[in-house]
Structure formats: structure tokens, C-alpha cells
Amino acid sequence: MSGTTPPPPRVAVVGVNGHGRSHLQHVLDAHAAGRLRLAAVADPRLDDLPELPAGTRRHPDLGDLLAEGVPEAVVLSTPIHTHAALATAAVRAGADVLLEKPPTATAAEFTELSATVEAAGRLCQVGFQSLGSAAVDHVRRRVADGRVGEVTGYSAAGCWVRTRAYYQRARWAGHRHLDGRVVADGALTNPLAHAVATALAVAGAQRAEDVTAVETDLFHVHDIEADDTSAARVHLAGGRDLLVAVTLCAAERGEPFVVVEGTAGRITLYYTLDTVVEEVPGHPPLVTRHERTHLLTDLLAARAQGTPLRSPLADSGGFTRVLEAVVTGPAPRPVAEGFFERLELPGGDEGRRLTGVEQAVAAALRERATFSELGLPWTR
Ligand SMILES: NC(=O)c1ccc[n+]([C@@H]2O[C@H](COP(=O)([O-])OP(=O)(O)OC[C@H]3O[C@@H](n4cnc5c(N)ncnc54)[C@H](O)[C@@H]3O)[C@@H](O)[C@H]2O)c1
């Protein structure tokens, strides 16, 4: 008896500019390889697209797309404050979803969306792509095997560069709120959100109940409402805590990382590189590199074979508690002129470097203290 191969799953990409362009490219490559079929795209701006396969539908929005036919999976890469409504519409229509991070702009939206996904019996994978890496499992295994002794704490750091053009590319960029909605576009909740989410994954503290309290210490160097230079102490059930220190006003881009500190050593995960460095006194550093599964590939495998998702919505519960604390806590404070340097960039763009911020991030991790607790002059 000859078996019939099922047709490849139909996938739609919603939000095809900005970061969505890399999703579109990935889907085009997978389409060309026959692993899926690009069924449709949706975006109010469809003027500047690469060539799409014949028959790909184009829609101005998701409602229009779903009305013309529901694909098996929808990739949502739209502004943060649109996530809850779009993901709700997609799963209610019967699609599984790869939803960009952060999954929602508020904890209330997160709770509601979780219930909707559950009731619809659909899959919702959150686009923290670092969680597709086997490096996370490796770190957890090494810690469980006692390689660093007893864990004393977790930390995460990131020193990146974002310029004025980044904040001018879209109306919502750099906002905590916009038009009466929570937007949550700060360093901890958007560009360096992976630092928080990956650290929580390494700590085995991804569920909402795993995060018991959050202290935030937020600043902005750019003329924005949200934070671009931020520290947070995240208290975890079980008594450990996670200290995070990040900036988007570094002199140059550094590799962000997550650290597990123990009584006998430490493990550092460079989460964009899938690379782990284990340091135990008396031994040479052990460097390992790991495979990464694309979260859409993982979602389609979960659909087809019932395997667990690498980044299910429920595992963003702890992250969402941090996001909620960032958005509802004290507003980011402006860093005064004189503490940062302005850089003229091509095309009228402007960079801002917070003097000594790399040392401040390092000190925050070393002392397990926020920037304000360190008493840094720009925090006063
Ligand atoms: N995982 C990552 O590494 C990563 C990196 C960058 C951004 N992101 C996330 O991707 C998402 C998009 O960020 P961005 O920086 O690309 O934003 P952006 O504003 O630059 O682009 C968003 C795109 O969505 C479109 N859009 C807006 N509203 C829409 C709607 N209602 N329906 C359909 N399309 C709509 C816009 O026209 C635009 O094409 C955010 O959640 C962001 O956090 C993830």
C-alpha cells in the first residue's frame, strides 16, 4: 500500500517589515525547501516586499487574511501592543501561532491570552529564539550535575547600541504607553528581553509563580519615555535572585550573557551565540557550542508530532511578571546632560554613549546591586 505524504503546512506571516522581514525570509527559504507553504502575508505596508511565491495572498491586516482562509500557522511580528488581539484572533480562527516577544504588553493580557489559547486548544510559541538553543538545556544539566556547586545567584547583562533612528522608525518605539495603551518598549522588555527570559529559563523559573517580586531601577539617556539603561533584581521562588543590568547606550555592541554563580564555579551562556563557558577554579575554562532549533520549525513539529514547544506561552509567565513590574513601577529617570556623549552619525542620526556604562553593568553584576544602589553619579 502506498502512503500519501500530507501537504506541507500553510503558514502566514503578519508584520513583514522590521523584524518580520527575517521571519518572511525564513518562511520563504522553508517554502523553497518544501517544508511549508507560504500562504499569505498581512501588513498595512506591503509596498517593498521580496518576490513571493505565486498564489501568496496579500492582505492589509490579519482579519482580512483569516476571512479568506485560515492557515495552519501564523507568525505574528507586529508592535507589542497589537500582540494580544492578533494572537487571540488567530487562535480563535483555528491557527497555531508563533508570537514575537514580549508576548503581551501587560500581565492582564497575558492571563487572558493564556486562557484563550487553552480554550481554543491551539499552540502558542513565544519568539524568544534563544530558548530554541540546546545551550539552555546544557547549562541546566551542568548545574543539576553540581558542576558549580550550590547555586548562589543568577545574573544577566547586555551592552548594546541603539541610536535615534531606531526610536524614530515607528510611532510606538521607545514608549511605555501610547494612545492610552501600554506599549512596554523598554530595554528590559524588548531589545534585551532575551537576557531576562533566558536567565529565567536557565534558573528553571519561567512560570508566573516562579517570580515572587521584582525591583526595578530604570533610566533613559535617549529622549524616550521607556528605559534604555536598566537594572532589575528578580526574586525567585526558592530564595535565589536574578540581577539584570543592561544598556542600549554602550560605546559598542557587546555580547549579552547570562551567568549562573555557584559555590564552586560559574557558567556563562552567550545566548545569541549558543556558546557556554564553564569556569571552575583549578580547571581550564570549558567552552561548548550548541545547536539551535528555529522556533517555527519547532512549532510545526509540535503540531505534527505532539512534541512539547521550546517556548510555550505559559513559560513566558515569569518574564511577564518582570515586564509588568517594569511598566507599572517607577518611571525611568532621565540621565542628565554631561554624563553622556552625543555622536553625530550619517544621515542626521545621533548616538548617545553613557560614559562608563560598561563598567557600571560589570559592577552591578559583581556587587549584585542596581545602578542606584551602586551610587553611580548619573543615578542621582
Ligand atoms: N526575536 C527578536 O530577536 C526580535 C527582534 C526585533 C523585534 N522583535 C519583535 O518583533 C515585533 C515587531 O518589532 P519590529 O521592531 O519589527 O516593529 P516595527 O514597527 O519595526 O515593524 C512592525 C511591522 O508590523 C506592521 N504592523 C503594524 N501593525 C500591524 C497590524 N495590526 N497588522 C499587521 N501588521 C502590522 C508594520 O507595518 C511593520 O511592518 C515586536 O514584538 C518586537 O519585540 C523580536
Side-chain angles (χ1 to χ4, degrees):
M1 206 174 91
S2 69
T4 48
T5 318
R10 290 162 302 161
V11 174
V13 182
V14 179
V16 289
N17 302 293
H19 183 62
R21 187 54 59 94
S22 58
H23 282 293
L24 179 60
Q25 194 53 56
H26 173 85
V27 169
L28 284 170
D29 293 345
H31 177 108
R35 294 197 300 274
L36 54 76
R37 192 157 79 70
L38 175 58
V41 294
D43 194 305
R45 283 170 36 219
L46 289 172
D47 47 330
D48 174 33
L49 289 183
E51 195 182 332
L52 302 181
T56 307
R57 294 186 279 122
R58 298 161 191 245
H59 300 277
D61 58 48
L62 177 66
D64 201 58
L65 185 156
L66 294 172
E68 294 286 315
V70 180
E72 275 78 40
V74 175
V75 179
L76 292 171
S77 186
T78 57
I80 298 166
H81 54 294
T82 66
H83 287 184
L86 297 180
T88 297
V91 296
R92 283 204 177 135
D96 293 320
V97 169
L98 170 55
L99 174 60
E100 259 309 335
K101 41 54 57 172
T104 59
T106 69
E109 285 177 355
F110 180 83
T111 305
E112 211 169 308
L113 179 60
S114 302
T116 304
V117 169
E118 177 81 23
R122 303 280 24 133
L123 299 173
C124 180
Q125 173 103 294
V126 178
F128 284 116
Q129 68 269 27
S130 53
L131 303 186
S133 177
V136 174
D137 309 315
H138 172 80
V139 175
R140 291 185 62 165
R141 224 169 20 245
R142 298 295 281 187
V143 171
D145 287 349
R147 307 298 298 193
V148 295
E150 195 185 325
V151 173
T152 53
Y154 302 93
S155 48
C159 292
W160 274 3
V161 179
R162 291 289 182 269
T163 66
R164 187 165 61 195
Y166 172 80
Y167 292 111
Q168 287 180 341
R169 81 187 190 289
R171 232 185 117 234
W172 63 284
H175 281 273
R176 297 179 104 202
H177 307 94
L178 186 66
D179 304 334
R181 308 267 327 261
V182 179
V183 169
D185 186 22
L188 283 174
T189 54
N190 191 1
L192 287 158
H194 291 84
V196 178
T198 310
L200 291 174
V202 160
Q206 287 169 285
R207 301 288 173 128
E209 62 272 19
D210 297 330
V211 170
T212 55
V214 183
E215 299 163 63
T216 60
D217 186 37
L218 310 177
F219 298 88
H220 63 89
V221 177
H222 285 280
D223 297 327
I224 56 172
E225 185 197 6
D227 53 299
D228 57 33
T229 299
S230 323
R233 184 181 291 108
V234 182
H235 298 268
L236 307 177
R240 304 278 172 268
D241 63 28
L242 160 65
L243 197 290
V244 188
V246 299
T247 185
L248 301 173
C249 303
E252 58 188 7
R253 183 192 185 280
E255 214 35 78
F257 57 87
V258 164
V259 183
V260 186
E261 294 281 358
T263 50
R266 60 152 69 181
I267 298 183
T268 305
L269 164 58
Y270 294 92
Y271 63 79
T272 72
L273 302 176
D274 307 311
T275 296
V276 177
V277 181
E278 191 175 304
E279 294 164 286
V280 173
H283 296 267
L286 181 64
V287 181
T288 53
R289 297 206 165 75
H290 303 266
E291 293 294 317
R292 182 184 287 212
T293 305
H294 193 284
L295 293 177
L296 179 59
T297 309
D298 183 66
L299 175 69
L300 297 178
R303 261 189 75 79
Q305 293 140 32
T307 44
L309 291 175
R310 296 281 318 180
S311 178
L313 184 61
D315 280 0
S316 282
F319 171 84
T320 301
R321 291 213 56 182
V322 177
L323 173 143
E324 185 79 353
V326 165
V327 171
T328 61
R333 286 173 279 160
V335 171
E337 292 278 349
F339 291 113
F340 62 88
E341 190 187 343
R342 291 167 194 267
L343 302 161
E344 276 183 40
L345 300 172
D349 194 8
E350 183 192 89
R352 293 191 180 183
R353 272 183 195 168
L354 178 55
T355 310
V357 73
E358 291 82 0
Q359 289 87 338
V361 166
L365 264 62
R366 194 174 58 243
E367 306 295 332
R368 299 199 71 75
T370 65
F371 300 131
S372 294
E373 288 167 352
L374 289 171
L376 297 168
W378 48 265
T379 64
R380 294 186 206 123

